[in-house]
Amino acid sequence: MSGDGLSRRYAGFLPKIAGAGPVDLGQGSTPLVRSRSIGPKADIPNLMFKMEHLNPTGSYKDRFASFAIGRARASGANRCLATSSGNTGAALAAYAAAAGLDCALYVSENAPEGKLAQMLAYGAQVYRVDRFTIDPEESSAISDLLEQEAARRGLELFITAYAVCPEAMEGIKTIAHELHEDTPAATDIFVPVGGGGLHVAISRGYEDVAALDADAAPPRIHAVQPSGNDTVATPLRRGETQARPVSTSTSISGLGVGFILDGHDVIRHARATGGQGFVIDEDEIQRVQRRLAREEGILVEPAGAVSVAGALAAAQEGEISGDGPVVCILTGHGFKDPGTLHNIGGDAVRIGRADIIGTFEHD
């Protein structure tokens, strides 16, 4: 969080953990950076980026892991169990290592190699599970099986969803606390949605803000999804109250959660704030990822570009009104998914010493 004052102000809204409390690796207090190029070109003069990819393990999931592993340590557990499509596993593996806990991770079969390597580097046991996060019925069955096995061993199965781990998820609310301190006049916040926990956490964080300051004007909190995982965005646009399961076909790592976790609550919170749903073509997401790198100097994985793609779509559709701050949550670092970096950057040119002078000559 942004300093001791902010910690004290919102302490009453965060879970209490016995003993040493949450595990601290320096998570939170991420920068809020103004767009230099993408925003002005899209007629969004106050487009801002919340740089969650700059947390210690490269994603906002560190805020969850801090509380999850703190709870595990306080309970006397000697290991943690979790499911993940990538970033949750990396965060839990790091925080478990810091707390001296073993960590077993059951991950999506299509988790990027960069995220798997990160989990393994922290010493976690990593198991890629066939069809997990891809097939809704199989994913639900896998989650149920893991929950049963965790309970049998007296452990909590960590999943970044309020439907499963509500107390640890509260650590993510601090994003909203920081945003309110840094840009209290924000009018719109664009949030990538897979299972929906991030959106719900930010919405709940702004409810904390309202409890302390009744005059604070809450921003509209929008839900943005890739076209291959449209569980909440279209139902939200249609005025429906329920999310829907889909057979996810998205290539956007981290957002391929086709079964219902916090989706119903995403729709409820978005509608309460005036937020809207946006479905973005995956080619467009990758174009925005490239633009962030080339125009802003910001390197995120594709999931981290989804919120920006949503803001651009909203601007094009005339759904951003006024010149107030518009915030996009950048969720994961580009190094998480090296394959996509190669796609946007290509290969270095190999030369010898005799060729160096020629590289300074341009047409």
Side-chain angles (χ1 to χ4, degrees):
M1 288 179 277
S2 301
D4 290 340
L6 182 59
S7 300
R8 288 193 298 270
R9 183 176 182 186
Y10 292 101
F13 296 101
L14 297 173
K16 302 296 189 293
I17 300 176
V23 179
D24 187 6
L25 288 179
Q27 68 281 348
S29 300
T30 55
L32 186 66
V33 174
R34 183 181 299 276
S35 171
R36 296 170 171 82
S37 174
I38 293 175
K41 287 179 179 177
D43 198 26
I44 314 175
N46 288 312
L47 182 65
M48 313 289 287
F49 303 129
K50 179 62 169 167
M51 311 279 275
E52 284 298 292
H53 63 299
L54 299 184
N55 275 295
T57 76
S59 86
Y60 78 92
K61 298 292 182 74
D62 289 9
R63 298 177 188 262
F64 169 84
S66 171
F67 281 84
I69 298 300
R71 283 171 53 81
R73 179 174 61 185
S75 74
N78 61 4
R79 68 189 320 227
C80 76
L81 298 175
T83 69
S84 176
S85 57
N87 286 335
T88 299
L92 287 170
Y95 285 73
L101 275 61
D102 293 333
C103 185
L105 303 171
Y106 298 83
V107 305
S108 171
E109 71 169 59
N110 58 4
E113 292 296 332
K115 296 179 184 181
L116 294 173
Q118 187 180 10
M119 298 175 212
L120 291 164
Y122 293 129
Q125 296 173 290
V126 181
Y127 306 96
R128 299 176 82 162
V129 185
D130 293 342
R131 306 303 297 163
F132 185 51
T133 78
I134 295 173
D135 179 280
E137 290 187 8
E138 184 68 7
S139 297
S140 181
I142 291 165
S143 295
D144 288 345
L145 175 62
L146 289 171
E147 284 192 61
Q148 293 166 12
E149 286 302 305
R152 192 164 67 86
R153 290 165 170 77
L155 300 172
E156 184 175 2
L157 178 68
F158 292 126
I159 300 174
T160 44
Y162 274 93
V164 184
C165 297
E167 290 200 1
M169 286 296 296
E170 292 285 85
I172 302 175
K173 293 195 306 183
T174 52
I175 294 174
H177 301 166
E178 292 170 17
L179 286 175
H180 178 65
E181 295 293 318
D182 293 340
T183 180
T187 59
D188 296 86
I189 298 178
F190 289 85
V191 183
V193 171
L198 174 60
H199 187 285
V200 174
I202 291 173
S203 300
R204 287 174 59 86
Y206 272 103
E207 289 176 350
D208 297 347
V209 170
L212 289 176
D213 183 0
D215 295 327
R220 298 185 297 175
I221 305 176
H222 306 285
V224 191
Q225 294 192 285
S227 57
N229 195 62
D230 181 10
T231 57
V232 304
T234 293
L236 179 57
R237 280 198 169 271
R238 290 175 176 169
E240 298 170 5
T241 60
Q242 300 287 293
R244 61 187 185 186
V246 299
S247 293
T248 182
S249 60
T250 183
S251 64
I252 308 302
S253 170
L255 298 185
V257 185
F259 55 104
I260 302 303
L261 283 173
D262 295 326
H264 302 328
D265 285 340
V266 170
I267 291 176
R268 178 172 60 85
H269 282 292
R271 186 159 288 125
T273 66
Q276 191 52 275
F278 296 90
V279 180
I280 309 297
D281 179 79
E282 300 193 9
D283 289 341
E284 175 62 16
I285 292 169
Q286 290 165 358
R287 282 192 289 271
V288 173
Q289 179 196 21
R290 178 186 176 93
R291 288 191 66 190
L292 282 164
R294 297 294 178 87
E295 298 180 37
E296 305 281 0
I298 295 174
L299 198 63
V300 294
E301 63 175 323
V306 166
S307 58
V308 183
L312 294 176
Q316 189 171 33
E317 296 165 15
E319 297 192 34
I320 295 177
S321 59
D323 295 333
V326 173
V327 178
C328 295
I329 311 297
L330 306 188
T331 51
H333 204 288
F335 291 133
K336 296 277 193 172
D337 195 343
T340 64
L341 296 190
H342 185 268
N343 291 340
I344 67 174
D347 294 309
V349 178
R350 185 167 184 172
I351 62 172
R353 177 163 59 88
D355 301 312
I356 290 176
I357 298 300
T359 65
F360 289 91
E361 298 173 358
H362 301 283
D363 294 334

